[in-house]
Amino acid sequence: MMGSSDPEFEKNLIDLLPNLYRFALRLSRRQDIAEDLVQITVERALAARGSLDPGARLEPWLVRILRNAWIDMTRRNRTRGSEVDIENTPEALTVDGRRVTEAALMLDATERALDALPPEQREVLLLVCYKELSYAETAEILAIPVGTVMSRLARARAALAQEMGIK
């Protein structure tokens, strides 16, 4: 087991930093994230250096730590969503909470109304209105006539409006 201060370990770690950075850059494709990953790797390696088998090669161990840090980071970002610096979005400083709440409620009501539609109407509505496909493209994808697309879309729009209390 290595001691708390091992100059050889630290020197070898420093020597491998360029390799770790290149690997992190390939994983993340972003310089700032690659730098963060290398920093996390170094911190974890220093904290866990006592668990490294003295006969084991350092680089594979460090790469494994870096890869695990990348997996942790992507999982965390997937559940957290994207982050935006408040300084880069001055419009966010003047958020109208009431309008944001109303928009969220409207979106929720719309999603519930969409879920209530029959599948064939929901498909046509999503393809034409959300994916912005033409009636002909939608008909081709669904293997139905253009007239059927138009009638299903009309019924879907009417049902959606009724469900949401618009008509």
Side-chain angles (χ1 to χ4, degrees):
M1 190 184 255
M2 297 183 180
S4 61
S5 179
D6 183 351
E8 185 178 342
F9 175 85
E10 292 167 5
K11 181 197 175 307
N12 292 338
L13 178 63
I14 291 169
D15 290 344
L16 289 170
L17 289 178
N19 295 355
L20 292 173
Y21 178 74
R22 281 192 296 276
F23 181 63
L25 197 55
R26 284 192 189 120
L27 283 177
S28 67
R29 295 188 173 109
R30 285 190 40 196
Q31 184 177 355
D32 60 329
I33 293 175
E35 291 168 356
D36 289 346
L37 285 169
V38 171
Q39 180 176 346
I40 291 167
T41 301
V42 169
E43 290 171 359
R44 289 181 182 178
L46 289 173
R49 66 178 148 202
S51 68
L52 177 65
D53 180 5
R57 288 189 43 226
L58 182 60
E59 188 170 16
W61 184 69
L62 292 171
V63 168
R64 192 168 41 257
I65 292 172
L66 191 142
R67 184 178 171 275
N68 288 340
W70 167 247
I71 291 168
D72 292 346
M73 185 181 285
T74 54
R75 282 183 186 151
R76 188 173 45 252
N77 289 343
R78 201 174 302 139
T79 59
R80 180 175 55 208
S82 59
E83 293 180 5
V84 178
D85 188 353
I86 194 76
E87 300 300 322
N88 295 333
T89 55
E91 68 276 2
L93 297 174
T94 58
V95 171
D96 180 350
R98 184 173 151 212
R99 285 182 35 200
V100 169
T101 302
E102 288 172 357
L105 291 172
M106 178 60 90
L107 179 61
D108 187 52
T110 304
E111 288 175 348
R112 281 196 317 273
L114 272 170
D115 288 342
L117 291 175
E120 63 276 358
Q121 290 179 13
R122 185 174 44 249
E123 275 181 326
V124 170
L125 186 74
L126 291 173
L127 289 172
V128 172
C129 298
Y130 178 71
K131 290 289 195 180
E132 298 179 347
L133 298 177
S134 69
Y135 293 171
E137 292 168 324
T138 301
E140 186 179 329
I141 289 169
L142 299 176
I144 58 176
V146 173
T148 304
V149 169
M150 294 168 67
S151 63
R152 286 182 184 177
L153 183 60
R155 286 195 305 273
R157 286 177 172 160
L160 196 59
Q162 183 178 7
E163 183 74 25
M164 297 190 61
I166 296 172
K167 269 187 171 177

